[in-house]
Amino acid sequence: MSAGDRRVFIKTYGCQMNVYDSERMADALAPGGWRAVDSAEDADLVVLNTCHIREKAAEKVYSDIGRLREISQARSAEGGRLTIGVAGCVAQAEGAEIARRAPLVDFVVGPQAYHRLPQLVAQVGARGAAGGAALVETEFAPEEKFARLGARAARGPAAFLTVQEGCDKFCAFCVVPYTRGAEISRPVERVLAEARALLEAGVVEITLLGQNVNAYHGEGPGGPWGLARLIRALAAEGVGRIRYTTSHPNDMDDDLIAAHGDAPALMPYLHLPVQSGSDRVLRAMNRRHTAEGYLAIIAKVRAARPDIAISGDFIVGFPGETEAEFEETMALASAVRHAHAYSFKYSERPGTPAADAPGQVPEAVKAERLARLQALLAADQARFNAACVGRETEVLLERPGRLPGQLVGRSPWLQSVHLDAPASLMGRAARVLLASAGPNSLAGALVGPQAAPRA
Ligand code: SAH
Ligand code: SF4
Ligand code: F3S
């Protein structure tokens, strides 16, 4: 194996921030001759970029490591070596414990330390086939990480850009403040520079990311900037479509709400998790907002941008949640009529306050509540999609469809739209008539003359 022909497979679990981090890990490895591949079978290095948010996500990592054993053994039999690293939030939460449970693992690297990935891989390589105890790197130095990552490569017309990381809110159920650390915002200039690099590479749409992205307060000219100001500056740089996720209701300030009405580049989509419709449960969750407060924000956002698609997250079966309290969640969801939403059974996470709370709800009750909520949310989503039929809009064409001659893209409301279109339109925003709707996607047709491709 020569330098320049080294293959890495990075598997991503969890949220968009992990998707971003995985891309940046590939960027960091690229100067060392590492090429990204799509499966562990083809790789010399496997990095599992893990998620700790719910028990199932965290446990999946161990079964996946188990499945790598065979590949690793086959590689050793050929006189080669498969290097295995665990990155992300499980790495941060469990550290050296991972190597004790899974001796196959060569290194463990946390979400704020992955700029050290090339050195870790080199150190493992220098030890040769015999290996040794796993190397563990879980320092918290977030801005240093971003400053040290290599050039940003684009991978399509839509890109993620992390602008804020970590969380100081400590919701009683959530591991994020422990796995990602304290809340930090990247300086405005660094964000703009990364956005410019993406634009030069042909990116049309940027989704700004953060665990609490609307708490963004990065240093900029004249002092800290809020997210709305950053969005306006990105629009002025020429970013045609801008999104942001995930937001907390308490950081939804008036400037950001106004931007939904007056910044045309800001897409009409808002992911604003509420978690529960019961004020008693919200208090126990340490959310610091009420159901009424959430509804008031939604009303303001809709006043600024009437067609906005509202998305959210819900947790059912939080410790102590009664049937009546769950009904309040159903009532809130009915009142909002989300265009799309995620919902989860409460999962007990070690080290979080709610894990030790009395009144853990039986699994069967959680499952039954989740099914009821998901039926309601699915109906609302289908209704939202159906209401879009007949609209003419811009769809950013991102990938080939399942059928020949088809492309798939995203509407401004983040729906998947399938249509017949020439491959030359790939990567571009096309004028499309939304012709029919299914529960999870829409079908459209090109309309009018399409703008010429950019030089
Ligand atoms: N920062 C975002 C969410 C981050 S985690 C926010 O403040 O809303 C993404 C979602 O996972 C959460 O919104 C929540 O709905 C869910 N989640 C987090 N911890 C969970 C747990 N212990 N059990 C079930 N769902 C959980
Ligand atoms: Fe987790 Fe709450 Fe922070 Fe969101 S705001 S990341 S749910 S602690
Ligand atoms: Fe999971 Fe970490 Fe994201 S726990 S949801 S990968 S911040």
Side-chain angles (χ1 to χ4, degrees), residues 9 45 53 57 82 84 109 131 167 194 196-197 220 231 266 271 289 307 325 332 342 379 395 448 454:
F9 171 59
L45 165 65
I53 202 83
L82 179 68
I84 300 174
V109 61
C167 183
E194 193 168 325
R196 283 183 208 115
I231 287 168
L266 185 55
H271 182 74
H289 61 77
D307 70 336
E325 287 165 344
L332 180 136
Y342 299 96
V395 172
R454 289 191 304 174

Side-chain angles (χ1 to χ4, degrees), residues 53-54 167 169 171 173-176 210-212 246-249 271-275 287 313-315 342 344-349 352:
I53 202 83
R54 284 168 290 275
C167 183
K169 294 206 161 55
C171 299
F173 49 81
C174 183
V175 295
V176 170
Q211 272 88 14
N212 282 283
T246 292
S247 296
H248 191 286
H271 182 74
L272 195 65
V274 64
Q275 316 298 359
R287 286 290 291 183
D313 294 347
F314 291 90
I315 294 177
Y342 299 96
F344 312 99
K345 288 186 278 186
Y346 168 73
S347 170
E348 206 178 307
R349 305 310 292 131
T352 61

Side-chain angles (χ1 to χ4, degrees), residues 240-264:
R241 295 168 50 126
I242 302 171
R243 305 179 185 278
Y244 61 93
T245 198
T246 292
S247 296
H248 191 286
N250 294 1
D251 295 311
M252 210 59 219
D253 65 36
D254 287 343
D255 196 16
L256 187 55
I257 294 173
H260 276 286
D262 64 32

